Amino acid sequence: MHVLEEKASKLNVPLQVARPLDAKLLNGLTLGLEGEHQFLNAGLAVALCSTWLKRTGHVGDTHFDQTGALREQFVKGLTNASLQGRAQIVTDRHFKSEQLNELVFFLDGAHSLESMEVCARWFSLAIKENNPNQTLFRQQPNNPKSSHEVVKMQHVERGFQRKSAPILLFNCLTVRDPQLLLPRLMETCADHGVYFKKALFVPSLSVYNKVGSQASTLSDSQVDLSWQFNLQGVWENLMQSNKAGKITDIVSEELKDDMEMSASNCEHSAVFSSLPMVIKWLRDRAQQNQSVRFQVLVTGSLHLVGDVLKLVKK
């Protein structure tokens, strides 16, 4: 901030610091984007749009009305904002029965240290707020604002309890440092009492520097998995070095068997050569263990998040 203030002073330009948006200004509505950090982004959006409107000739205070409330157009924009791949919850459409919903994907394309912590905090709170014993996720295909709604329902069978199995599906570009990202993710989740049953590492389908017809994908036999093995090694070392003992003995029975599709299976993680194989493996586990809700956090790369969305929304 000191550097920004000094530079602004030398250039003789105003410097405005945007404050987080006050939730009370939304008239009882909620932001279209999930996560507490979005109130900071919303405050910046309001300040930026207001400044632009003033500079382009609109008169008066453009974001507050005469009562001091946020104008209707601003509230509408903030509450209808949509951004796929950030704090997005998607129930796998592969399962026809909405009463089961055994496989739920929590998607966030975090790929920096700060965003990884925000992602982990969001995921931890999201799976706790949406208790699998009391709520189910249902896709809202016709609502662009929200990727899901929470449907509360009572199970017919008394005493029915569904176990939760948090799973990490991760990849990041080689320019990122997994020695920083993965510990922050694991520690933040652990601080909220969330421990992953298994971590799955897989290359993305898309090639980040090619688009259109040039973006052809490689066959499984052509894929270089050395980076994914490196990610797996980082994760296994983190698990083994955990002194609390809470993380090292959590691999559930539902995930110990049937790993022949993986390229490398370790105690706490597995490497798959292709994303479709991972999705198939998850669907098979969910189908065979209907007393378990598989809650899959997909993060580390927006490319990976986009590929998962493309597969599970078919």
Side-chain angles (χ1 to χ4, degrees):
M1 182 54 66
H2 174 72
V3 173
L4 292 175
E5 291 172 344
E6 184 179 26
K7 191 68 174 179
S9 177
K10 288 182 179 179
L11 296 175
N12 195 29
V13 297
L15 175 63
Q16 177 184 352
V17 179
R19 295 181 178 180
L21 183 74
D22 187 344
K24 296 178 182 178
L25 296 175
L26 296 175
N27 301 326
L29 302 176
T30 58
L31 289 176
L33 304 181
E34 302 225 5
E36 288 298 316
H37 62 290
Q38 294 299 349
F39 285 96
L40 180 59
N41 291 334
L44 178 60
V46 168
L48 185 61
C49 290
S50 178
T51 301
W52 183 85
L53 288 169
K54 291 177 182 177
R55 293 287 181 90
T56 53
H58 294 76
V59 295
D61 193 343
T62 54
H63 62 282
F64 286 107
D65 61 23
Q66 294 180 350
T67 66
L70 201 61
R71 287 188 179 273
E72 179 184 354
Q73 296 92 330
F74 279 76
V75 174
K76 182 178 180 181
L78 293 169
T79 56
N80 287 305
S82 175
L83 183 60
Q84 291 195 72
R86 289 292 191 183
Q88 182 179 11
I89 304 174
V90 176
T91 300
D92 188 12
R93 293 182 179 179
H94 177 74
F95 298 102
K96 305 300 181 183
S97 173
E98 293 183 350
Q99 294 184 343
L100 294 179
N101 290 334
E102 303 96 340
L103 182 56
V104 183
F105 292 92
F106 296 75
L107 303 118
D108 193 288
H111 49 268
S112 68
L113 194 61
E114 295 82 3
S115 61
M116 190 62 64
E117 181 174 346
V118 170
C119 167
R121 187 163 58 247
W122 162 74
F123 173 69
S124 300
L125 295 176
I127 63 174
K128 286 185 176 181
E129 290 174 358
N130 302 303
N131 190 313
N133 295 334
Q134 298 176 344
T135 63
L136 293 176
F137 293 102
R138 179 180 296 158
Q139 189 70 26
Q140 276 186 314
N142 298 322
N143 186 351
K145 171 195 168 186
S146 176
S147 62
H148 70 285
E149 65 176 342
V150 179
V151 182
K152 293 194 179 284
M153 64 180 297
Q154 297 291 332
H155 294 290
V156 176
E157 182 182 355
R158 288 191 175 184
F160 177 86
Q161 290 188 343
R162 183 175 294 168
K163 294 186 293 183
S164 173
I167 297 175
L168 174 64
L169 179 54
F170 188 92
N171 189 41
C172 64
L173 299 180
T174 54
V175 295
R176 310 295 178 190
D177 187 354
Q179 298 278 6
L180 296 176
L181 298 182
L182 289 175
R184 181 64 60 88
L185 173 65
M186 177 187 289
E187 291 165 4
T188 304
C189 287
D191 287 343
H192 289 81
V194 174
Y195 306 96
F196 292 102
K197 304 292 186 183
K198 197 86 171 180
L200 310 177
F201 300 99
V202 62
S204 301
L205 288 172
S206 56
V207 181
Y208 72 92
N209 60 350
K210 293 182 180 180
V211 295
S213 60
Q214 296 181 341
S216 57
T217 57
L218 301 174
S219 65
D220 292 352
S221 60
Q222 297 174 302
V223 175
D224 180 7
L225 296 176
S226 56
W227 178 244
Q228 281 66 44
F229 292 140
N230 179 48
L231 296 176
Q232 183 183 41
V234 173
W235 185 262
E236 288 293 328
N237 288 335
L238 286 171
M239 297 294 282
Q240 296 300 332
S241 62
N242 180 268
K243 297 180 180 180
K246 293 182 179 180
I247 300 180
T248 55
D249 298 319
I250 57 169
V251 180
S252 58
E253 293 297 327
E254 296 85 0
L255 301 175
K256 288 184 177 179
D257 301 326
D258 194 22
M259 293 296 296
E260 69 274 4
M261 288 192 294
S262 65
S264 172
N265 180 36
C266 295
E267 183 179 1
H268 307 284
S269 62
V271 172
F272 285 80
S273 59
S274 75
L275 188 55
M277 291 179 65
V278 173
I279 301 300
K280 182 181 185 307
W281 183 82
L282 288 168
R283 286 170 172 170
D284 289 345
R285 300 287 73 68
Q287 192 68 48
Q288 295 170 12
N289 301 277
Q290 295 186 10
S291 63
V292 178
R293 165 168 288 188
F294 294 88
Q295 298 165 312
V296 185
L297 174 61
V298 184
T299 190
S301 165
L302 281 167
H303 308 289
L304 176 64
V305 167
D307 292 336
V308 170
L309 276 173
K310 183 164 55 176
L311 289 176
V312 302
K313 284 193 169 185
K314 285 184 178 180

